[in-house]
Amino acid sequence: MGDRRKDRPWLMRTYAGHSTAEASNELYRRNLAKGQTGLSIAFDLPTQTGYDPDHVLARGEVGRVGVPVSHLGDMRRLLQDIPVEKMNTSMTINATAMWLLALYQVVAEEQGADPGKLQGTTQNDIVKEYLSRGTHVFPPGPSLRLTTDMIAYTVNHVPKWNPINICSYHLQEAGATPVQEIAYAMSTAVAVLDAVRDSGQVEPERMGDVVGRISFFVNAGVRFVEEMCKMRAFTRIWDDLTRERYGVTDPRQRRFRYGVQVNSLGLTEAQPENNVQRIVLEMLAVTLSKDARARAVQLPAWNEALGLPRPWDQQWSLRIQQVLAHESDLLEYEDIFAGSHVIEAEVESLTSSALAEMERIEEMGGAMAAVESGYLKSELVASHARRRARIESGEEKIVGVNCYESTEPSPLTADLDTAVMTVDPATEAAVVAALGRWRDGRDEARVHQALGDLKKAAAGDTNLMAPTLECARAGVTTGEWAWALREVFGEYRAPTGVGGAPVAVSAEDGGPLADVRQRVRATAEEIGSGKLRLLVGKPGLDGHSNGAEQIAVRARDAGFEVVYQGIRLTPEQIVSAAVAEDVHCVGLSILSGSHAELVPDVLDRLRAAGAGDIPVIVGGIIPPADARALRAAGVAAVFTPKDFGITEIIGRIVDEIRLANKLDPLEVTA
């Protein structure tokens, strides 16, 4: 070997941020010192959904799944002693992307940086928020305008910035097949590029500059040959699309530029040590093939299904990347799959199927129309339901979950309560107090003027970036910026996809679902109710609705009447719906860690409303100590990712309803 030249490795990132701007700044500087080559900022849910930390919906969510950034002071503190001009920074933010970019640019200017040299990415893909992640704020039309204005602004003023990172990652998490992942992401890209072209804000001859700055964020699952072929299909379709539809002649501008977070959905709570090899296999899918290699990679940690990873867990994931890049010979070869007829056939199959689905979406009026009609969401819910059914039947094997389940005790999880990081509940109070001090110290007249100018621009057709930058400089808060736009644009509740999802598990006689259906029917009769009613609720700001949707669909198939109003509800709204609909059980789904705050609140409100006898069950990523505390507070049952059998969960719900109504247990048929 000796003189063979190695390719430069991909950017290595760790998706990180928690508690406060100070704590996250310390974490970033530590990660950069360990050899990480780019920043990847995770924002908390209030920041992502345009609420200040003192808003009622932010309770229990501040600093949990990312860092709270409420104003310019927080962004200054987050980036303190980090030379922004030398960084490549990825910010995972969508509905409020324009606002966070404005804060980032103003801090960079304060550091003396030239905005023209700033490098990085704002995710800014609102379509996948409507479909899978749930941090949307505004309706599709205004959301697309925010995206368009930001792209036009960056192409003209921050030319090295990627203003949008079209994100198919969460589509796979929500059940998308490789074909759906390609088709829905590409259809989103078409909607965005058409909007930029038609806005008249970028000269037609500069469309190549726009296309050249579009990046993608994809998912790689454990079926790594298929996933690698998916990346080659993505590359091929993008090259053809940008040449034919937008007339981009420079092949460098047509390159499919993508970053990856490998699949967290497939990480298991059972035998979590197996997640390490899953992560490695998934990383190979996006690094093995030189012609379709990722530009940036971030890996989840082995214990993500258990709770919030600690710095050591994140370091392990970074070291996995470094071993592959620096110890193996991967980067010394040309594309090792060139000429493989097996790979070529699979790529061709994925490409033609994805193009057919893109055509179907185009006929509906494009991605935005397919969001509003509910088509895309119900397709994903149905696809996810089919996948869950394959796992439950054993057709799709998951080691340690539905096969090879016997296990030695694991030293990694010997003390589960210390195997994940916990966020101190006192953090929220400190962040809220700091926000009050910020508001007290600013020029109120300037804030008022800046917000008025923003609303005026939103009501017209001016590019919104300039008034947003003035809001940032004036000391406006995240919640105030978003509320000003809510007043003009309105808010949006996306289709849930539950009603249109077909039956995924048949209830043939003698099968587990048939048995549960019989128990549902018998229990309804004994209670004297036409049907058992289940309320599926998502309190707080957590928009990960996949689990809630799957429970809702299966409960419906088992004969329940299901009340599911979608995401982002206050405990008060959930309790009033439970009382109004006279439900027999309340099921709460939370993945963001706010269960300790929000679940007891729901229980207290039910008792106050005279409905304290309705059993409440909870599902989510809930550490054992928290599960014990919830049960002590009065929760009937707690389900975590290890409870993968949805039909069994529905059976347990029937049991809890019988117990609450003082009915004898039903004999379960073998």
Side-chain angles (χ1 to χ4, degrees):
M1 180 228 129
D3 56 356
R4 193 179 288 146
R5 201 175 67 80
K6 285 183 85 160
D7 281 345
R8 216 169 50 181
W10 52 90
L11 268 177
M12 297 182 195
R13 290 190 171 124
T14 306
Y15 181 52
H18 65 85
S19 306
T20 62
E22 289 82 356
S24 299
N25 172 265
E26 196 183 313
L27 178 67
Y28 296 158
R29 286 189 290 129
R30 214 163 48 221
N31 285 347
L32 291 168
K34 284 176 187 162
Q36 187 177 300
T37 50
L39 277 187
S40 182
I41 302 176
F43 295 100
D44 73 354
L45 288 172
T47 306
Q48 291 186 51
T49 49
Y51 293 104
D52 283 334
D54 56 355
H55 190 277
V56 59
L57 270 170
R59 203 169 53 130
E61 308 280 15
V62 176
R64 283 215 174 261
V65 301
V67 60
V69 175
S70 310
H71 47 71
L72 184 60
D74 286 342
M75 188 64 93
R76 267 185 206 131
R77 191 64 194 83
L78 184 67
L79 299 170
Q80 194 173 313
D81 302 322
I82 294 174
V84 170
E85 199 175 276
K86 294 182 181 156
M87 282 293 109
N88 189 309
T89 304
S90 167
M91 296 197 279
T92 304
I93 194 88
N94 295 286
T96 53
M98 179 182 280
W99 174 242
L100 272 297
L101 177 63
L103 293 175
Y104 187 84
Q105 181 182 322
V106 173
V107 168
E109 289 167 353
E110 289 178 350
Q111 285 189 2
D114 171 3
K117 291 184 179 161
L118 295 181
Q119 293 186 68
T121 303
T122 26
Q123 192 165 86
N124 202 17
D125 171 5
I126 205 66
V127 169
K128 64 93 178 177
E129 297 303 330
Y130 298 132
L131 297 180
S132 54
R133 183 59 190 84
T135 70
H136 52 275
V137 177
F138 314 111
S143 294
L144 188 57
R145 175 181 168 193
L146 283 167
T147 303
T148 304
D149 283 359
M150 212 173 125
I151 292 172
Y153 174 81
T154 54
V155 165
N156 291 314
H157 301 282
V158 196
K160 292 184 169 183
W161 194 266
N162 301 327
I164 185 168
N165 186 274
I166 290 165
C167 177
S168 67
Y169 175 83
H170 294 94
L171 301 181
Q172 188 181 113
E173 299 271 291
T177 62
V179 166
Q180 287 173 323
E181 195 181 332
I182 298 167
Y184 297 176
M186 286 294 169
S187 296
T188 299
V190 166
V192 168
L193 286 170
D194 282 3
V196 172
R197 181 191 62 197
D198 300 344
S199 75
Q201 295 190 68
V202 177
E203 299 84 14
E205 62 274 13
R206 294 202 64 200
M207 276 307 284
D209 293 338
V210 176
V211 166
R213 295 257 58 100
I214 302 273
S215 61
F216 289 79
F217 188 65
V218 303
N219 202 326
V222 78
R223 292 171 56 82
F224 77 99
V225 176
E226 183 178 55
E227 294 289 322
M228 192 268 297
C229 292
K230 176 185 81 183
M231 297 324 308
R232 294 171 88 86
F234 254 131
T235 303
R236 186 174 299 181
I237 292 174
W238 184 242
D239 189 65
D240 290 346
L241 178 75
T242 52
R243 186 180 61 248
E244 291 161 19
R245 192 175 183 115
Y246 305 106
V248 180
T249 52
D250 183 344
R252 286 171 309 182
Q253 290 178 326
R254 296 199 308 265
R255 266 194 72 184
F256 184 74
R257 299 156 63 249
Y258 77 99
V260 179
Q261 153 100 9
V262 307
N263 191 349
S264 294
L265 176 71
L267 302 183
T268 62
E269 182 184 10
Q271 299 178 24
E273 61 279 4
N274 296 341
N275 293 332
V276 177
Q277 54 266 34
R278 289 184 181 110
I279 289 166
V280 172
L281 286 170
E282 290 167 350
M283 176 176 58
L284 289 178
V286 295
T287 52
L288 274 179
S289 160
K290 181 178 177 177
D291 291 351
R293 184 171 290 148
R295 299 283 286 270
V297 176
Q298 59 194 41
L299 303 179
W302 68 278
N303 55 348
E304 234 166 73
L306 306 173
L308 197 60
R310 301 156 300 188
W312 182 84
D313 308 311
Q314 293 192 318
Q315 174 186 297
W316 190 359
S317 290
L318 179 62
R319 295 291 182 253
I320 289 172
Q321 295 203 54
Q322 289 166 333
V323 168
L324 181 67
H326 303 299
E327 292 187 27
S328 86
D329 58 354
L330 175 75
L331 294 171
E332 294 167 19
Y333 293 91
E334 287 306 304
D335 194 281
I336 59 176
F337 298 104
S340 161
H341 63 273
V342 175
I343 298 296
E344 186 49 44
E346 176 65 6
V347 172
E348 184 49 50
S349 163
L350 289 170
T351 302
S352 58
S353 301
L355 288 170
E357 181 63 10
M358 286 169 68
E359 210 168 295
R360 188 173 301 127
I361 292 165
E362 182 107 38
E363 282 164 11
M364 291 175 185
M368 290 303 183
V371 164
E372 292 188 45
S373 71
Y375 168 76
L376 294 182
K377 181 64 175 175
S378 57
E379 287 292 299
L380 286 174
V381 172
S383 178
H384 198 181
R386 286 191 292 271
R387 178 177 183 270
R388 292 297 305 231
R390 289 195 303 273
I391 293 170
E392 288 175 57
S393 70
E395 181 191 338
E396 190 169 311
K397 291 191 168 26
I398 298 181
V399 172
V401 173
N402 63 1
C403 60
Y404 309 112
E405 292 154 73
S406 64
T407 182
E408 297 297 325
S410 164
L412 285 175
T413 55
D415 181 0
L416 259 185
D417 293 335
T418 62
V420 292
M421 200 172 89
T422 52
V423 174
D424 184 347
T427 298
E428 186 164 318
V431 171
V432 169
L435 175 66
R437 290 193 296 275
W438 174 265
R439 286 198 187 115
D440 291 343
R442 63 189 185 173
D443 176 346
E444 278 305 318
R446 187 177 176 189
V447 166
H448 189 73
Q449 178 71 46
L451 287 168
D453 291 347
L454 175 68
K455 283 198 271 196
K456 203 179 299 173
D461 57 6
T462 319
N463 187 301
L464 291 169
M465 196 67 197
T468 294
L469 281 161
E470 172 52 24
C471 283
R473 294 184 179 108
V476 164
T477 67
T478 299
E480 290 164 346
W481 177 85
W483 276 111
L485 293 181
R486 278 179 171 103
E487 283 180 38
V488 181
F489 295 152
E491 282 195 82
Y492 187 68
R493 289 194 80 75
T496 66
V498 167
V503 174
V505 177
S506 70
E508 300 128 358
D509 292 346
L513 189 60
D515 179 55
V516 172
R517 282 182 83 145
Q518 176 52 38
R519 289 159 63 198
V520 168
R521 206 164 32 241
T523 305
E525 278 170 22
E526 286 177 65
I527 290 174
S529 162
K531 264 190 163 191
L532 289 188
R533 288 180 294 282
L534 169 69
L535 182 136
V536 176
K538 291 225 25 100
L541 295 175
D542 169 37
H544 282 107
S545 56
N546 308 331
E549 288 152 8
Q550 295 306 312
I551 293 286
V553 168
R554 190 68 57 83
R556 176 204 70 185
D557 295 349
F560 272 89
E561 185 180 311
V562 177
V563 180
Y564 176 57
Q565 298 166 319
I567 59 170
R568 227 179 292 169
L569 300 169
T570 61
E572 198 175 1
Q573 289 169 317
I574 287 169
V575 169
S576 67
V579 172
E581 300 283 351
D582 192 19
V583 299
H584 299 101
C585 180
V586 171
L588 302 176
S589 163
I590 307 180
L591 274 84
S592 63
S594 58
H595 47 263
E597 278 275 335
L598 300 179
V599 174
D601 190 12
V602 170
L603 291 166
D604 291 344
R605 287 174 187 277
L606 280 170
R607 289 180 195 122
D613 54 345
I614 300 176
V616 173
I617 59 158
V618 182
I621 295 178
I622 298 169
D626 288 2
R628 289 192 293 273
L630 291 176
R631 280 193 288 267
V635 167
V638 175
F639 299 101
T640 64
K642 70 177 182 299
D643 302 298
F644 72 95
I646 301 182
T647 300
E648 285 90 330
I649 292 174
I650 306 300
R652 285 278 305 280
I653 292 172
V654 179
D655 294 342
E656 295 303 337
I657 291 171
R658 294 188 68 81
L659 196 61
N661 285 275
K662 302 183 173 52
L663 302 177
D664 293 333
L666 279 174
E667 288 301 311
V668 181
T669 54

